[in-house]
Amino acid sequence: MQTRDLDDGLTVSGQIGSDDMPALAARGVRHVICNRPDGEGPDQPAFAEIKRAAEAVGIEAHYLPVTAGNVRDEEAAEFGRLLAAVTGPVHAYCRTGMRSTTLWALSRNASGPGLAEIVRRAHEAGYDMSGVAARIAGTGVKDGGMVLAEYDVVVVGGGAGGIAVASSLLARDRNLSVAIVDPADIHYYQPGWTFVGAGIFKPAQTAKTMASLIPKGVDWVKAAVAAFDPGRHSVILEGCRILRYRRLVVAAGLKLNWDGVEGLTETLGRNGVTSNYRFDLAPYTWQLVRNLRGGRALFTQPPMPIKCAGAPQKAMYLSADHWRREKCLDSIEIEFYNAGAVLFGVQDYVPALMEYVEAYGAQLNFNQRLVRVDGDQRTAWFEHTDADDKVERVSRYFDLLHVVPPQTAPDFIRASPLADDNGWVDVDQTTLRHKRFENIWALGDVMNAPNAKTAAAARMQAPVVANNLLADMGRVRGVAHYNGYGSCPLTVERGKIVLAEFGYGGKLLPSMPRWLIDGTRPSRAAWFLKERMLPPIYWKAMLRGKEWLASPVIGED
């Protein structure tokens, strides 16, 4: 944790953790202010966790969440009132410290130092408030004072899809000017977290610095996006700064809505409640699985769409396999609660999965959505919807609860003109071009094409978007078509995987000959692919524009 001084008695920083509280208390901090909404990042502790740790060392915690890049005047005024009301040193934090600094700058302008002094102090702390200064002074985009740069292509999002598409673009045309916009310092290989939760991978194997992965020749704009102005071909960043683009690619991922389940954030990471969908919780999953010798284990799956629809049940299979190997499976009740109506959306893979469900003695419960958790009482509540749409609430005691949270498009996407009625970026499902804005494309989890939201899908989508964007610029010929390919390696036991590969409409799209890997049956070859081959393919091929088994199909239009 690196804190920065802004004002007398006020420091700011990026995301803090529970283990930072003793150091803050030792520095005399008496209040912490969280300006980051829960669920923004895969490595983000919930505010409830921070609050517990703060109170344990005598620090009072305050929650004033602000959407990334969209600080409103009323939120700044509330921040200022809070600073005026408390006694003693204050530490504010968000993802990078930018939002907290913006709140301070806007709130202090009315009653504190002059505008130039605000900009100077923020600059010394490492934050650029020139855009905020222009906002306060009344200048705007038309004056050009807030425009940072203009690029041939701006890519919003530095996850799997964003970096892959930037690399694919430059692999085709090194003369492009390209920027990736993302505030995160760490890039995660999220498909590996299921293995972390099973004790197969170490957490460090799934994380690299963002700086080490940004493609050579691409500018990294380390900032959050506030909004889009497609009419002016502009992306508006936090701090009221502007990027201009000739073409835009949106690869912003999705949001994990931990607050969508009552009581969940208050108990995550303790009381036997865990999730492989968060980097810092996957090791806790393994700790719980390893220590459980008897009792009841619940595994949940929320309504679709979600990232990697097979991951909720993969956690169940790997846990059950461990308990079987430890000869305590008969002492553990395993229950799977799925908000949907089927075990897996493509029927061809269900028979093999059901063999494992039966072998592990797991009880399947469909049309049951997790709605509330009381960790102290170790009780979970589900709403069951029957065939007549009658809803009944049921409760279950647990010793272990693995939760997959509801998932939505990021807030700044849902509030943008790029979104459809459900909040996802509205694209043509074959060309991945926006339906209304001709110089915008999208890929990965953030778009509304009806494909599985997996890293394998993004690997196929990146060259499609790269080709079609360059075709629109007249730099290549032919339009590429995406067939909906997605892959979900369903890990049914340690050493065997059902390799589900399919496209639109559930059509099977195997990438290997059947004699090598029959995707409808568990195989050791698929396990070898998942454990040994896919991580290096991800880091060294997909993110570097090498399109092995991912070359797009090119048509005339």
Side-chain angles (χ1 to χ4, degrees):
M1 174 189 61
Q2 183 178 11
T3 64
R4 302 175 186 272
D5 294 321
L6 281 183
D7 216 338
D8 292 338
L10 175 65
T11 57
V12 297
S13 74
Q15 178 68 54
I16 62 176
S18 299
D19 54 356
D20 292 317
M21 289 304 156
L24 288 174
R27 295 176 190 176
V29 170
R30 293 294 170 260
H31 300 268
V32 294
I33 303 175
C34 173
N35 298 131
R36 188 180 187 191
D38 283 340
E40 272 193 343
D43 57 350
Q44 175 188 354
F47 172 70
E49 298 172 48
I50 299 296
K51 183 178 181 180
R52 282 197 305 271
E55 291 175 345
V57 294
I59 296 176
E60 186 174 355
H62 309 267
Y63 191 48
L64 180 56
V66 175
T67 300
N70 189 23
V71 180
R72 296 179 289 123
D73 289 342
E74 49 268 40
E75 292 168 332
E78 185 177 350
F79 185 82
R81 287 192 293 271
L82 179 56
L83 290 180
V86 301
T87 302
V90 177
H91 181 76
Y93 72 92
C94 53
R95 186 200 296 262
T96 64
M98 187 67 169
R99 265 168 284 183
S100 300
T101 303
T102 302
L103 287 163
W104 166 80
L106 292 172
S107 67
R108 290 293 280 161
N109 177 65
S111 59
L115 194 54
E117 180 66 8
I118 288 173
V119 173
R120 184 191 68 79
R121 292 187 189 181
H123 178 74
E124 289 179 351
Y127 299 102
D128 180 5
M129 288 289 107
S130 57
V132 173
R135 168 177 167 178
I136 294 171
T139 59
V141 176
K142 65 181 184 297
D143 302 313
M146 292 185 289
V147 178
L148 295 180
E150 183 172 340
Y151 294 91
D152 291 328
V153 183
V154 170
V155 179
V156 173
I163 292 180
V165 77
S167 294
S168 289
L169 283 166
L170 291 184
R172 289 165 169 78
D173 191 335
R174 299 297 305 182
N175 295 318
L176 289 172
S177 60
V178 181
I180 291 177
V181 184
D182 197 299
D185 290 308
I186 304 297
H187 177 105
Y188 295 101
Y189 177 58
Q190 296 183 32
W193 291 351
T194 298
F195 274 11
V196 174
I200 299 163
F201 283 177
K202 299 295 184 184
Q205 293 176 255
T206 69
K208 292 183 183 292
T209 63
M210 186 73 78
S212 70
L213 298 173
I214 298 295
K216 185 178 180 180
V218 172
D219 287 350
W220 176 25
V221 180
K222 192 173 183 292
V225 171
F228 299 94
D229 187 352
R232 293 185 176 90
H233 312 303
S234 299
V235 175
I236 304 165
L237 307 177
E238 60 185 354
C240 306
R241 298 167 297 166
I242 302 294
L243 284 180
R244 302 279 199 192
Y245 60 81
R246 297 179 182 86
R247 304 292 188 281
L248 175 69
V249 178
V250 183
L254 51 69
K255 175 183 177 180
L256 302 177
N257 184 21
W258 299 103
D259 290 326
V261 177
E262 181 185 350
L264 178 57
T265 58
E266 288 80 8
T267 194
L268 269 172
R270 63 193 190 105
N271 297 322
V273 182
T274 190
S275 178
N276 288 341
Y277 274 66
R278 217 174 81 182
F279 172 75
D280 61 321
L281 290 180
Y284 183 53
T285 301
W286 176 231
Q287 176 187 329
L288 293 173
V289 169
R290 196 170 61 246
N291 293 336
L292 189 65
R293 308 293 298 181
R296 180 180 294 150
L298 310 183
F299 298 83
T300 76
Q301 179 168 321
M304 299 293 285
I306 65 170
K307 180 192 297 287
C308 190
Q313 57 185 289
K314 285 191 277 188
M316 175 180 69
Y317 298 138
L318 283 169
S319 299
D321 179 58
H322 173 78
W323 295 324
R324 180 176 62 180
R325 293 169 186 267
E326 292 295 309
K327 300 186 177 5
C328 61
L329 180 61
D330 291 343
S331 300
I332 299 173
E333 298 177 53
I334 301 173
E335 300 177 7
F336 186 66
Y337 287 83
N338 189 345
V342 295
L343 181 61
F344 195 72
V346 182
Q347 178 59 35
D348 298 74
Y349 302 106
V350 172
L353 299 177
M354 283 302 302
E355 290 177 13
Y356 280 89
V357 169
E358 294 167 2
Y360 295 139
Q363 176 185 323
L364 300 181
N365 302 278
F366 296 116
N367 300 309
Q368 299 214 31
R369 180 173 63 93
L370 179 67
V371 294
R372 181 186 170 202
V373 177
D374 185 332
D376 292 332
Q377 298 298 317
R378 291 186 176 259
T379 302
W381 284 263
F382 299 87
E383 284 188 351
H384 174 245
T385 304
D386 65 18
D388 298 321
D389 289 332
K390 181 180 177 181
V391 178
E392 175 188 14
R393 181 169 287 205
V394 297
S395 65
R396 296 295 285 166
Y397 177 86
F398 62 83
D399 295 282
L400 182 157
L401 173 63
H402 181 273
V403 178
V404 178
Q407 295 163 38
T408 67
D411 294 337
F412 74 95
I413 296 293
R414 289 187 288 131
S416 78
L418 310 186
D420 66 7
D421 290 342
N422 294 314
W424 306 96
V425 178
D426 195 15
V427 300
D428 178 275
Q429 70 177 38
T430 58
T431 65
L432 305 184
R433 191 175 198 168
H434 199 279
K435 291 180 180 178
R436 300 187 304 281
F437 304 110
E438 293 190 348
N439 64 339
I440 298 177
W441 287 259
L443 74 158
D445 297 345
V446 76
M447 67 172 184
N448 66 353
N451 62 280
K453 295 183 183 296
T454 66
R459 189 169 76 89
M460 291 293 188
Q461 294 158 8
V464 170
V465 170
N467 180 89
N468 293 348
L469 185 154
L470 290 171
D472 185 62
M473 297 178 73
R475 301 195 183 192
V476 301
R477 297 186 62 183
V479 175
H481 298 275
Y482 173 56
N483 60 5
Y485 175 87
S487 175
C488 185
L490 292 151
T491 314
V492 288
E493 64 174 291
R494 192 170 184 133
K496 287 189 178 180
I497 280 176
V498 174
L499 183 60
E501 296 179 281
F502 51 91
Y504 290 138
K507 180 181 179 181
L508 301 194
L509 296 173
S511 55
M512 301 288 178
R514 189 162 184 166
W515 60 264
L516 180 59
I517 297 179
D518 178 359
T520 65
R521 300 299 307 163
S523 73
R524 296 192 180 280
W527 173 273
F528 179 81
L529 178 70
K530 167 72 174 177
E531 183 190 25
R532 301 292 179 86
M533 295 184 64
L534 290 186
I537 287 173
Y538 180 86
W539 297 117
K540 298 179 180 180
M542 176 180 173
L543 300 188
R544 296 183 181 177
K546 299 175 181 177
E547 297 163 5
W548 179 65
L549 295 178
S551 298
V553 177
I554 308 296
E556 291 299 319
D557 52 32

